Amino acid sequence: MGNPKVDKDIVIDKLMEVFRSVGYDGASLADLAAATGLKKASLYHRFPEGKEAMAHAVLDHVADWNEKEVVAILMSSKPAEKRLNTVLDSINDLYNGGRLACILRALSHGTAADLFRNEIAAIFQNWVVAFAHLAADFGHEPEMAKRLAESTLIRIQGSLILAQTLQQPNLFKNALNDIKSDFLKPSGNK
Amino acid sequence: MGNPKVDKDIVIDKLMEVFRSVGYDGASLADLAAATGLKKASLYHRFPEGKEAMAHAVLDHVADWNEKEVVAILMSSKPAEKRLNTVLDSINDLYNGGRLACILRALSHGTAADLFRNEIAAIFQNWVVAFAHLAADFGHEPEMAKRLAESTLIRIQGSLILAQTLQQPNLFKNALNDIKSDFLKPSGNK
DNA sequence: GTCTATAGCTAGATAGAC
DNA sequence: GTCTATCTAGCTATAGAC
């Protein structure tokens, strides 16, 4: 296939940056071209289906990251507490300590909502399954483990919104700590 | 001022519907005109500053609703538990049991992020103050009361995202229940 | 595979009749 | 205060040279 991956990952990374900061509808082809350093026509050469395909490529990349950095770790055989800490650290890095928006949320609105809902839902569901698995290893009952996993995603998404709107990144850090203590707690409440 | 409020509230309500379902960047003047039943030129007659002014009007309306239905109730002298239940019911209605997106979040992204951040942040902060007041009345220490109030907003925002993406409104209902038990709990954890 | 140039359209916003 | 008609700028997308 010639030399197909020269800087493909960099391009996807730059596309992601734009989508995540201004959303799908807010991202113009001119923005995307400027961010990648490519001209519009070159972007269309790589993504013949246009902007929609660019967002799909970004989501595929996110799904891969998710499998490697979250699901695989949470499902591994290391000690439960170590798994939790490793993943929460990754998540903290991913969002730069609460300063960066979530790409999944950015692609959940406006025109994008209908286009990408299924892909995004699949990623969320993988997180829930993986975190529920971890919660079970911490000794939580199945039903409670699932609630705890859902609550984890809820806290991450909600705290990112507040952290960015109020420009208080600590709200995100606090949420990560709350998540940790929820998992460590003996069970019986959420 | 003649007859200035013929259907002004209805217009604002329709504008809000559009912004909340497709976001600020996703909402075209054509969409807004169609939803209100007015032509574009008529919208500009009412909002000479254009789309931005329409969103500001919507936010003002939201701020008013917030003062009446949330802040005033939470600050009243009724029993704490009754105040909590009343407000959570209002919030549940507002979002139609988790089926509707939050207008504040819809206006927090893309181009809109910079335009409306201060107004939205002010509304969030009012919620935090009011819920912290309630938490104090439930016997929580000041520091914990504030954390609990922040956690309340986080749970609402986060659960709305998940509820809509996964199309499971129950995730929102569960979050409201979790909020309730957090307030009722003796304190010591969040 | 990248570029310049441009087509075709829709966006936000106005002019001016009624 | 509402309308039809229209302007200009920006949008997504394509053609075709290199």
Side-chain angles (χ1 to χ4, degrees), chain A residues 74 79-81 83-84 129-140 183:
Chain A
L74 290 181
E81 191 166 349
R83 275 180 273 161
L84 178 60
V129 170
F131 272 109
H133 178 92
L134 177 72
D137 287 352
F138 268 109
H140 296 277
F183 274 90

Side-chain angles (χ1 to χ4, degrees), chain B residues 56-116:
Chain B
H56 274 298
V58 166
L59 282 177
D60 285 350
H61 181 258
V62 170
D64 284 350
W65 184 93
N66 170 53
E67 284 304 315
K68 269 181 223 146
E69 303 294 327
V70 178
V71 175
I73 308 286
L74 290 181
M75 298 297 205
S76 79
S77 55
K78 294 202 176 125
E81 191 166 350
K82 184 172 180 64
R83 276 180 271 162
L84 177 60
N85 286 329
T86 303
V87 167
L88 290 182
D89 284 348
S90 284
I91 292 172
N92 185 51
D93 290 347
L94 176 65
Y95 298 119
N96 192 21
R99 275 167 286 268
L100 291 179
C102 175
I103 178 70
L104 300 179
R105 174 170 52 105
L107 293 178
S108 295
H109 294 278
T111 311
D114 297 318
L115 296 176
F116 310 120

Side-chain angles (χ1 to χ4, degrees), chain B residues 27-29 40-41 44 51:
Chain B
S28 72
L29 268 287
K40 282 194 272 183
Y44 273 95
K51 191 165 129 176

Side-chain angles (χ1 to χ4, degrees), chain A residues 29-86:
Chain A
L29 268 287
D31 294 335
L32 297 165
T36 55
L38 291 169
K39 297 299 177 182
K40 283 193 269 182
S42 303
L43 273 179
Y44 273 96
H45 177 77
R46 290 168 178 243
F47 305 97
E49 328 280 73
K51 191 164 129 175
E52 192 174 330
M54 299 177 206
H56 273 297
V58 167
L59 281 177
D60 285 350
H61 182 258
V62 170
D64 285 350
W65 184 91
N66 170 53
E67 285 304 314
K68 270 182 221 144
E69 303 292 328
V70 177
V71 175
I73 307 286
L74 290 181
M75 298 297 204
S76 79
S77 54
K78 294 199 177 128
E81 191 166 349
K82 185 172 178 64
R83 275 180 273 161
L84 178 60
N85 285 329
T86 304

